[in-house]
Amino acid sequence: MEKSTTERCPVYKKCGGCQLDTAYPEQLGFKQRKVERLLRRFCKVAPIIGMDKPCHYRNKVQAAFYTNRSGKIISGVYQSGTHHVVGIDSCMIEDKTADKIIVAVRKLLPSFKLTTYNEDTGKGFLRHVLVRRGFSTNEIMLVLVTGTPVFPSKNNFVKAILKQFPEITTIVQNVNNLSTNLVLGDRQNVLYGKGYIEDVLCGCRFRISPKSFYQINPVQTGVLYGKAIEFAQLRGDETVLDTYCGIGTIGIVAAKNGAGRVIGVELNGDAVRDAITNAKRNSLKNIRFYKGDAGEFMESAAEEEERPDVVFMDPPRAGSSEKFLRSLIKMSPERVVYVSCNPETLARDLRFLSENSDYKVKKIQPVDMFPHTEHIECVVLLTKEAKK
Ligand code: SAH
């Protein structure tokens, strides 16, 4: 049996990025049992779809920068629950090129007399580095998060890193001088290229800006969306709602796969802007995106007698709201496809729907989006049971 990658990870305990250090087949068994314990009472659970190669799957890698007492620059992750940086040069779940770029940035700093940012004094320059790679397009974005807007020897630094990694397609400086746990600040300055990358998923092209939400495991996202579209059983004339839509990925894939009309709703304004661009980028005219709370949106859409055939819902870990679920029942779509990143809140929401409506759970498919971590993703199909 293949050994788990994290068993060999020297910083497993300190880092906290991974929570499971058993062999991969055992991890899948653990996740399967957890989903069955929580959801079996609703419907039979299909076997979890794992990865063939559960390594280096993360397309987005970020590292914090720090200078220790002897003046050595360290890059890596915060030790779980602290602000102490654990030095990491390569990680079994992160993209290899991204890791190499981060190390190269660190090695370049001294020759350009660039310092690292000190969280206690608020002084210094480089705070974090973020790298995102489009696995299909191989476009690479390097984001340098700095404590000050002033970037000494900016052009030469950009030239030096591009010389080592000509595959980088865009470089962005992001300024974050706030005392915050968020990596990225609000001010941005494109130093090279377009300021965003694109990736192709399920035959559609998506624009990814430094701050956009984009699924971090593109291989398994293809599997997940494939299942979601299969469960939706689109024939070509349906009205489809994509709720909690992020940058519009599921709705856009649905529109490409035959949905007649798609309406997306999302709370984050930046994501909505990306969703609109993405719809245009894929030459789709039958799709509209709205910014707002999904529950509020569903309530007013239900009042306006909107009658979608299929509703996709992909809420954050907290799950959906009662307002959303009550309006969903009122709207009464033929099929509901629930994509969930938290089986506990999924169980709660499915219980509410079973107790308060004619919806029955027909399929439950777990997909391993996050090998070596405890996170579990599921896609669920609900349909209305015909009234007796
Ligand atoms: N379906 C997308 C995004 C899923 S992540 C994808 O597959 O990429 C969940 C999304 O729900 C996030 O984009 C988050 O901003 C959004 N969200 C969180 N709370 C929300 C709410 N109350 N109403 C609408 N969207 C919400």
Side-chain angles (χ1 to χ4, degrees):
M1 202 184 283
E2 193 198 336
K3 274 280 194 187
S4 151
T5 50
T6 42
E7 264 175 327
R8 278 176 261 129
C9 177
V11 292
Y12 170 73
K13 283 218 171 79
K14 276 188 179 171
C15 161
C18 297
Q19 298 85 37
L20 306 177
D21 62 349
T22 51
Y24 190 55
E26 280 169 36
Q27 295 180 22
L28 293 177
F30 163 80
K31 292 185 182 185
Q32 183 75 20
R33 285 191 298 280
K34 181 161 178 189
V35 176
E36 285 184 0
R37 183 162 46 77
L38 288 162
L39 304 177
R40 193 173 31 203
R41 67 195 138 118
F42 299 108
C43 164
K44 187 166 169 279
V45 178
I48 186 165
I49 305 175
M51 294 188 81
D52 291 339
K53 293 198 187 91
C55 295
H56 304 294
Y57 62 80
R58 278 193 73 103
N59 59 4
K60 172 179 156 183
V61 177
Q62 56 200 31
F65 276 67
Y66 167 79
T67 304
N68 71 12
R69 277 197 214 120
S70 44
K72 193 173 168 221
I73 300 178
I74 316 268
S75 63
V77 297
Y78 289 120
Q79 183 165 3
S80 35
T82 74
H83 264 221
H84 172 72
V85 180
V86 181
I88 293 179
D89 281 4
S90 65
C91 162
M92 295 304 279
I93 68 171
E94 292 173 354
D95 180 56
K96 283 184 191 169
T97 311
D99 279 346
K100 284 185 195 148
I101 293 172
I102 290 168
V103 171
V105 168
R106 189 183 72 219
K107 290 188 173 160
L108 275 179
L109 293 177
S111 51
F112 285 89
K113 299 205 167 45
L114 292 170
T115 56
T116 62
Y117 182 80
N118 182 319
E119 283 190 345
D120 298 324
T121 61
K123 292 209 171 76
F125 180 66
L126 189 66
R127 215 170 164 173
H128 300 274
V129 169
L130 166 70
V131 179
R132 301 182 98 166
R133 184 164 81 86
F135 276 24
S136 299
T137 57
N138 208 22
E139 292 184 18
I140 298 176
M141 175 199 294
L142 168 63
V143 184
L144 302 161
V145 185
T146 64
T148 55
V150 184
F151 190 158
S153 350
K154 183 167 65 185
N155 295 341
N156 287 336
F157 186 87
V158 166
K159 259 191 219 148
I161 195 77
L162 284 173
K163 195 167 169 220
Q164 288 185 49
F165 293 93
E167 61 268 52
I168 295 175
T169 50
T170 189
I171 303 179
V172 177
Q173 179 188 5
N174 176 285
V175 184
N176 185 358
N177 53 10
L178 300 174
S179 163
T180 163
N181 280 333
L182 295 177
V183 171
L184 296 176
D186 286 333
R187 283 166 67 187
Q188 236 147 240
N189 193 0
V190 178
L191 306 180
Y192 173 75
K194 299 177 290 192
Y196 59 87
I197 55 167
E198 289 189 334
D199 198 19
V200 176
L201 201 60
C202 301
C204 301
R205 248 186 132 77
F206 296 103
R207 172 192 287 213
I208 306 154
S209 312
K211 289 178 110 172
S212 301
F213 174 88
Y214 186 61
Q215 298 280 358
I216 55 96
N217 182 341
V219 173
Q220 292 297 86
T221 303
V223 174
L224 181 79
Y225 288 177
K227 278 286 160 196
I229 297 296
E230 177 194 317
F231 287 3
Q233 300 161 57
L234 301 170
R235 283 178 298 263
D237 49 357
E238 290 91 348
T239 293
V240 168
L241 294 192
D242 178 10
T243 62
Y244 308 90
C245 70
I247 60 167
T249 38
I250 296 176
I252 288 171
V253 175
K256 274 264 167 156
N257 280 275
R261 186 166 77 100
V262 177
I263 303 164
V265 59
E266 160 64 44
L267 197 57
N268 177 319
D270 286 347
V272 174
R273 222 171 303 133
D274 282 343
I276 293 167
T277 310
N278 286 332
K280 280 196 201 124
R281 187 76 186 76
N282 290 283
S283 315
L284 295 167
K285 295 210 166 60
N286 54 346
I287 182 158
R288 294 271 173 283
F289 291 101
Y290 295 92
K291 176 182 175 320
D293 168 69
E296 304 274 344
F297 175 86
M298 289 292 278
E299 199 171 61
S300 39
E303 267 163 30
E304 283 161 25
E305 311 263 316
E306 184 69 71
R307 291 285 173 263
D309 303 286
V310 177
V311 171
F312 287 100
M313 52 191 288
D314 185 5
R317 290 184 58 72
S320 191
S321 63
E322 215 172 288
K323 187 185 264 188
F324 183 104
L325 297 171
R326 285 195 190 286
S327 310
L328 178 73
I329 294 166
K330 201 164 155 193
M331 264 181 194
S332 184
E334 280 302 315
R335 293 176 289 285
V336 177
V337 180
Y338 191 147
V339 179
S340 156
C341 56
N342 182 351
E344 265 116 15
T345 52
L346 173 62
R348 181 200 66 201
D349 292 346
L350 292 182
R351 186 174 344 110
F352 183 89
L353 288 173
S354 320
E355 286 170 1
N356 293 285
S357 74
D358 300 327
Y359 282 103
K360 289 277 172 295
V361 179
K362 294 290 180 192
K363 286 179 181 169
I364 302 176
Q365 177 65 65
V367 177
D368 193 22
M369 298 281 283
F370 314 105
H372 312 297
T373 78
E374 61 197 357
H375 298 290
I376 307 179
E377 192 89 13
C378 288
V379 50
V380 171
L381 170 67
L382 295 114
T383 58
K384 259 186 309 171
E385 205 84 318
K387 284 236 169 65
K388 292 187 189 105

